[in-house]
Structure formats: structure tokens, C-alpha cells
Amino acid sequence: AQLATTQSQVPLLEGAVQQAMYQLSVLLAEPPGTLVAELTKPGPLPSSPGEVPVGLPSELLRRRPDIRAAERQLAAATAQIGVATADLFPKFFLTGGFGPSTRDIRHFLDQQSLTWSVGPNMQWAIFQGGRIVSNIQLQGALAQEALIVYQQTVLRALQDVENALVAFTNEQVRYESLAEAVAANQRSFELSYELYSRGLTAFLNVLTSENALYASQDALIQSQSTVLTNMIALYKALGGGWDADEDWESRLPEVRTGWPAVNMQLAPPDSGMPPAGS
């Protein structure tokens, strides 16, 4: 019954894998089945840094598209104040004209019929001072609104980074605890099987310890996936990695990489007992 229940989960997992492949292909503007052959090959999960640099510079956040957009909108709103203020002052123009002065088409291009003129021109909305001042105040209020939006965007970005750091760090701690649980359950299974092989306990104890080992291994793999997902969330919160030009491994040689070695074996090598689920 337990074997059949476990096998019933396989089609659901396989379907989720296929759907993820199709989604990745669509995100790359390709037909759904483009990446199936490439992603079907089994492989390990990518490694993750054991820790991230402390004291990330705030300049990294400026790579985020939302912050850059809010910053440009603030700059544009501030510039509009200067444009509105310029209406308080007169504007001077130097205009000119050139063309024929005859109505006879036969002499249209004669040198004697061509005339030109140059003269200054001034424009000053002196009787619209109230409207201009009101427009300046309006643009100032719009700039203040853009400043508040920019501040809120930066605060949300900082919150995203802090949340991602906390989630990444705590999941690393959880992963290490689960690795210890897998090692302990592995030892428990080996001891229960040794007792069963000597006729000192029932096989139900072996099955119980084997189920506990399977559950801890499954939680460990899910935790590893969560660590990677949280690392991606941290990348997104920063608008990229913590270094824009160089790889973090080249600049942080002290960062621990890789995952703790965990024995995923379900049965002693020389016991002759087939692994669970086979």
C-alpha cells in the first residue's frame, strides 16, 4: 500500500517537470517543446554560496528598474519646475525673412526682386502672472509627489533585500539541520535493519525507520531548492548579483560553496536488500 501510494506521486511530479520545461521555453519566446531534450537530462542542482557578503553597498539597488524609473521621473518632474519658472521672464527671438518682392512670375528669381529682413522679437506674458505662478506651484507639487514615490520605491527595495537575506540565511540553517536529520535517520535505519536481520525485531520497525529516512531526504531536497529560490529572490531584489562586473567567487574566496555531503543510501551495501521504491 505504501509503495503504491508513493508511485502515485510520480505522475504528478513528472507532469510538473514537463510544465516547467514548457514555461521556460515560452519565456524564451520559443515553442513549448524546445527545451525538453536539453532539460530532460538529469543533473544536480546548482551550487549556492553558503553566505553572502556583509554590508552590501546601496549603489547596487540603483540597478533595479523600478528605482531607475522612479529616479528619472523625479528628474523630469524637477525639470518641469524650471520650465514653468522660465515663463516669468521675457523671451527674445531673432527672426528673419527672405523672398521675392515682385508679382511678375517672369522676374520671380531676379536679383532685384529678392528681399530679406532681420529683426528682433520679444514675447512676455506679463498679464498672465497669476497663471504662471500657479503653474509653478503645480509643478512643484508634482515634483514633491515624484519624490515621495521615489522614496517609497527605495524603501520597498530595501525591504525586499532584507526579506530575501533573512529567508536565504534561515533556509541555510534549516538545510543544515535537515542534513543532520537525514544522517540520523540513515543510522536509525541501519540499526533497525541490523536488529531485524538478527531476528531481534519485526520488519515493521525497519519500514518505519525507512519511511522516516525517505521523508527527511525529501525535505532536504526541497530545502535545497528553497535555498536556490531564495538566492534568486535576492538577485532580483538587488537588480542582479552583488557585483555587477565580476563573479562573486573571484572576489569572495572565503565564501563556502557546495552542500554538505549526505548519505542517501536506503539499505546497507552488503545487505542484499533492494532500495526502497525499486
Side-chain angles (χ1 to χ4, degrees), residues 161-189:
V161 173
E162 294 297 332
N163 291 339
L165 284 173
V166 170
F168 178 77
T169 303
N170 290 342
E171 191 62 34
Q172 286 274 35
V173 176
R174 179 173 179 266
Y175 177 86
E176 294 177 358
S177 299
L178 288 174
E180 295 177 359
V182 169
N185 286 326
Q186 177 71 37
R187 180 60 178 163
S188 174
F189 168 74

Side-chain angles (χ1 to χ4, degrees), residues 116-197:
W116 59 274
S117 63
V118 177
N121 186 19
M122 183 187 73
Q123 181 180 354
W124 192 7
I126 190 173
F127 298 108
Q128 300 180 4
R131 182 185 62 83
I132 296 176
V133 172
S134 298
N135 187 36
I136 294 175
Q137 295 175 351
L138 172 62
Q139 298 303 326
L142 293 177
Q144 185 67 22
E145 179 185 6
L147 175 61
I148 295 175
V149 172
Y150 175 75
Q151 293 174 343
Q152 291 179 342
T153 303
V154 172
L155 291 177
R156 284 196 299 266
L158 293 174
Q159 181 183 8
D160 292 342
V161 173
E162 294 297 332
N163 291 339
L165 284 173
V166 170
F168 178 77
T169 303
N170 290 342
E171 191 62 34
Q172 286 274 35
V173 176
R174 179 173 179 266
Y175 177 86
E176 294 177 358
S177 299
L178 288 174
E180 295 177 359
V182 169
N185 286 326
Q186 177 71 37
R187 180 60 178 163
S188 174
F189 168 74
E190 294 174 355
L191 291 176
S192 62
Y193 184 81
E194 179 69 18
L195 292 174
Y196 167 73
S197 62

Side-chain angles (χ1 to χ4, degrees), residues 19-88:
Q19 292 175 5
M21 294 180 186
Y22 298 155
Q23 185 177 5
L24 287 173
S25 300
V26 173
L27 288 175
L28 294 175
E30 298 290 344
T34 302
L35 300 178
V36 172
E38 178 180 355
L39 298 181
T40 302
K41 302 177 182 178
L45 292 175
S47 61
S48 170
E51 58 185 24
V52 297
V54 180
L56 297 172
S58 59
E59 288 77 8
L60 295 178
L61 291 175
R62 299 186 71 241
R63 297 179 301 182
R64 287 175 55 119
D66 54 347
I67 291 182
R68 298 178 66 178
E71 183 181 8
R72 289 298 86 203
Q73 291 174 359
L74 175 59
T78 304
Q80 289 299 321
I81 299 178
V83 174
T85 305
D87 293 336
L88 290 173

Side-chain angles (χ1 to χ4, degrees), residues 168-269:
F168 178 77
T169 303
N170 290 342
E171 191 62 34
Q172 286 274 35
V173 176
R174 179 173 179 266
Y175 177 86
E176 294 177 358
S177 299
L178 288 174
E180 295 177 359
V182 169
N185 286 326
Q186 177 71 37
R187 180 60 178 163
S188 174
F189 168 74
E190 294 174 355
L191 291 176
S192 62
Y193 184 81
E194 179 69 18
L195 292 174
Y196 167 73
S197 62
R198 295 177 181 272
L200 300 178
T201 186
F203 184 75
L204 182 61
N205 294 331
V206 178
L207 184 61
T208 301
S209 60
E210 190 178 27
N211 286 335
L213 177 60
Y214 168 78
S216 60
Q217 289 176 338
D218 182 68
L220 181 67
I221 295 298
Q222 293 183 14
S223 177
Q224 183 179 0
S225 176
T226 303
V227 169
L228 296 174
T229 303
N230 292 339
M231 183 180 66
I232 295 173
L234 179 59
Y235 284 153
K236 292 177 62 179
L238 291 173
W242 38 78
D243 189 89
D245 301 322
E246 300 178 13
D247 184 50
W248 62 270
E249 290 180 339
S250 62
R251 297 203 47 195
L252 299 170
E254 72 279 6
V255 172
R256 176 175 58 85
T257 59
W259 303 93
V262 178
N263 185 8
M264 304 294 284
Q265 185 179 347
L266 289 178

